[in-house]
Amino acid sequence: MRIPPHQLQPHLGKGLAPVYIISGDEPLQVQECCDQVRAAAKAHGFSERELLHAEHNFDWGLLLASAGNMSLFAEKKLIEVRVPSGKPGDKGSKALREFAKRIRQDLILLIVLPKLDRSQQNSKWVKALEKDGVLVQVWPVSAGEMPRWINQRLSTAGLSAEPEAIQILAERVEGNLLAASQEVEKLKLLNSDERITVERLAHSITSSARYSVFDLIDRALAGEAEKSIKTLEGLRTEGIEPPVVLWALAREIRSLLDIGEKLAQGQPLGRLVRIQKRQPLVQSALSRLSPRQLETLLLRARAIDTAIKGGAAHQSPWTGLLELTLNLCGYRCL
C-alpha cells in the first residue's frame, strides 16, 4: 500500500501494519512520519525499539537476528533500519525479502531512506515488503504549495494569519520546512489567540535579532545606501555569517533579473510580486539597474562565494558584501 504523508496519521488510527517504509529527501516531513509510526507503535504496546544504521558494509544478518531476539521484558518490538544511501544492495535486498516472509504480530519494521527512484520502487525487496506493509513517499513542498502548507501548520498550532502574512513567511523561508516550522512555533509562543497580521509576523521574525538580512534587502532595493550600510554592519556585529548575507543578496539579484525579463514580455508586476508592499521596492531597483548590471552583480556574488569557500585571506568577505550592497543600491555599478 502507498499513501501520502498526510494520510499516515489516519491510517495509524485504524491499526498498525507490520512494515512501514518512509522515503524522501525532506527531513522535517520524514522525521514527523517516523515519529507518528513510533508513537502509534508505543501506544499499541511495542515497548522495545532497536535502531540499525545500514551504512556501507552493514551486516544485514543483524536484521534477521534482531527479529529473532526479543527482550525478556518486552512482548512487542519495533525495529528501525536507516539506509542513508537508499540502496540496501544485494545482501540487504535478500535480507529484507527474507524478513517479509517472517512477519509476525509482535514485530514492526520501520525503514527510513532517501527518495526512491522508479527502479527502486519496483525492486523485489520493496514489492515484498509493500505487500503487507505501507510505503510513504515524502515529496518536497513546491513554492506554490508553501503558503497552503504554512496555513495548515498554523491551523494545527491553533493560529490563524492574514494571507499576506502567510505569503511573506513562505517567501522568506524559501521552501525550508524546518525553518517554517520553527517560525510557526515562535509565533505560537508570541501570540495567543489573536490573528497574525503582517506587523505581528515582522515582530516575530526580528524578535531574536536587532538586524535582519531581509531589512538589508528592502533597504538596498529602495536605494537607501546609508541605512543599508548600517544594517550590514549590524549583521556583522551580531555574528551573522557572510554566506547567509550573500545568499540573500544573490537570491534577490536573481529574482530581479527574472522579474525584469517577464515585465519586458508584458506580464504585470502584480502577478510577479504578490506582496503589495514590495512592489515599489522592486520597481525602484529595476529603474536603477539594467539587466546587464544585474548580471554583473550576480557574477560578483559568485566571485565572493568562491572567495569565501576558498578561505581567501587577502580580503574580508564583508568588504565584498559591502560593495555588492552598494551596487544594488545603485552606487558604483559596473
Side-chain angles (χ1 to χ4, degrees):
M1 178 190 300
R2 301 187 181 189
I3 62 175
H6 70 272
Q7 291 183 5
L8 178 58
Q9 192 64 57
H11 162 81
L12 292 169
K14 298 176 182 178
L16 297 180
V19 177
Y20 288 92
I21 306 172
I22 311 296
S23 163
D25 295 326
E26 213 313 305
L28 178 66
Q29 290 194 92
V30 168
Q31 181 63 41
E32 291 183 341
C33 286
C34 292
D35 288 343
Q36 290 173 16
V37 173
R38 296 187 198 108
K42 188 175 182 179
H44 282 77
F46 288 81
S47 56
E48 184 178 357
R49 171 175 170 253
E50 185 166 353
L51 177 61
L52 302 175
H53 290 275
E55 298 177 318
H56 186 59
N57 292 328
F58 174 71
D59 180 4
W60 282 94
L62 294 175
L63 171 62
L64 301 178
S66 177
N69 295 331
M70 298 293 290
S71 168
L72 294 175
F73 305 99
E75 297 180 356
K76 298 180 179 180
K77 183 177 186 179
L78 170 69
I79 303 174
E80 182 173 336
V81 182
R82 298 180 184 175
V83 190
S85 68
K87 299 178 180 180
D90 293 338
K91 293 182 179 179
S93 176
K94 183 178 179 180
L96 290 169
R97 281 182 284 147
E98 180 63 29
F99 186 96
K101 298 177 183 178
R102 303 185 185 185
I103 286 177
R104 308 196 308 261
Q105 292 184 347
D106 59 353
L107 275 178
I108 290 180
L109 175 63
L110 171 61
I111 304 178
V112 187
L113 66 173
K115 175 184 174 182
L116 295 172
D117 59 31
R118 187 174 296 276
S119 63
Q120 290 171 311
Q121 293 177 35
N122 294 322
S123 62
K124 292 181 179 179
W125 70 269
V126 171
K127 293 293 185 182
L129 294 176
E130 192 181 1
K131 182 179 179 181
D132 295 300
V134 175
L135 171 60
V136 182
Q137 293 177 286
V138 176
W139 302 100
V141 178
S142 68
E145 297 171 334
M146 197 65 185
R148 181 176 58 84
W149 187 90
I150 291 175
N151 191 39
Q152 290 177 343
R153 199 81 178 185
L154 288 168
S155 179
T156 301
L159 301 172
S160 64
E162 295 177 347
E164 189 175 359
I166 293 174
Q167 186 64 40
I168 291 174
L169 182 55
E171 290 195 4
R172 293 194 169 182
V173 298
E174 201 186 32
N176 188 327
L177 298 192
L178 181 58
S181 177
Q182 290 172 341
E183 287 298 336
V184 170
E185 289 300 314
K186 190 191 299 183
L187 287 168
K188 186 176 181 180
L189 291 173
L190 296 176
N191 298 272
S192 54
D193 57 350
E194 297 183 37
R195 186 173 175 80
I196 297 169
T197 62
V198 172
E199 290 73 20
R200 285 183 174 274
L201 177 65
H203 172 70
S204 171
I205 291 175
T206 60
S207 62
S208 59
R210 184 179 176 186
Y211 295 94
S212 162
V213 290
F214 304 110
D215 292 333
L216 175 66
I217 294 300
D218 288 348
R219 288 163 183 171
L221 290 179
E224 298 174 341
E226 186 175 341
K227 291 182 179 179
S228 297
I229 294 172
K230 182 179 179 181
T231 303
L232 187 65
E233 177 61 22
L235 292 170
R236 187 189 67 81
T237 302
E238 290 187 351
I240 302 300
E241 293 295 328
V244 175
V245 181
L246 180 61
W247 163 82
L249 290 168
R251 174 177 177 267
E252 200 62 36
I253 294 168
R254 286 193 295 269
S255 177
L256 288 172
L257 274 168
D258 182 60
I259 293 172
E261 180 180 347
K262 291 177 179 177
L263 285 174
Q265 296 172 355
Q267 296 189 38
L269 182 63
R271 181 181 298 176
L272 301 174
V273 184
R274 296 183 180 181
I275 302 175
Q276 191 172 1
K277 291 182 178 180
R278 297 200 79 238
Q279 292 176 11
L281 298 176
V282 171
Q283 283 181 320
S284 175
L286 290 176
S287 68
R288 294 190 310 271
L289 302 166
S290 67
R292 184 170 182 177
Q293 288 172 325
L294 288 170
E295 289 172 357
T296 301
L297 295 186
L298 194 56
L299 289 174
R300 176 58 182 148
R302 290 172 182 168
I304 296 172
D305 181 56
T306 300
I308 291 175
K309 292 178 178 177
H314 66 281
Q315 185 182 32
S316 166
W318 290 102
T319 301
L321 292 172
L322 175 60
E323 293 176 354
L324 190 62
T325 301
L326 289 173
N327 285 334
L328 191 54
C329 288
Y331 288 80
R332 293 189 293 162
C333 288
L334 301 177

